[in-house]
């Protein structure tokens, strides 16, 4: 069975689109991230600090500053 290059391209595109949809659906939003107690932002002083979602980084929910 001979499948043309256009068919392979369409199959590859469908796989990529499905992968992107799955990645975005499993990624936690800012409101779902775990809040860290007893930590304040170095920039604005807010106590609403959450895990940034990677490594050991933290993110201020008020100003968006990422810090370690």
């Amino acid at each position: 069975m001979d499948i043309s290059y256009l068919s392979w391209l369409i199959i590859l595109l469908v796989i990529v689109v499905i992968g992107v949809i799955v990645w975005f659906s499993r990624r936690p939003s800012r409101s779902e991230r775990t809040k860290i107690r007893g930590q304040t932002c170095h920039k604005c002083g807010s106590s609403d600090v959450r895990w940034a979602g990677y490594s050991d980084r933290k993110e201020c929910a008020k100003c968006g500053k990422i810090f370690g």
Side-chain angles (χ1 to χ4, degrees):
M1 190 161 104
D2 185 25
I3 300 178
S4 69
Y5 290 112
L6 182 60
S7 299
W8 282 110
L9 185 63
I10 291 172
I11 291 169
L12 183 62
L13 183 64
V14 167
I15 291 171
V16 168
V17 168
I18 290 172
V20 168
I21 291 170
V22 168
W23 185 74
F24 274 113
S25 68
R26 295 186 52 94
R27 189 172 161 209
S29 68
R30 288 185 178 203
S31 63
E32 294 174 354
R33 293 184 181 160
T34 306
K35 187 173 181 179
I36 302 170
R37 301 198 185 275
Q39 183 79 31
T40 57
C41 176
H42 304 295
K43 183 177 179 183
C44 69
S46 172
S47 63
D48 194 7
V49 176
R50 301 177 187 274
W51 290 111
Y54 55 93
S55 187
D56 61 346
R57 300 291 184 182
K58 300 165 194 88
E59 178 182 16
C60 177
K62 183 177 177 185
C63 69
K65 172 80 173 160
I66 305 274
F67 53 93

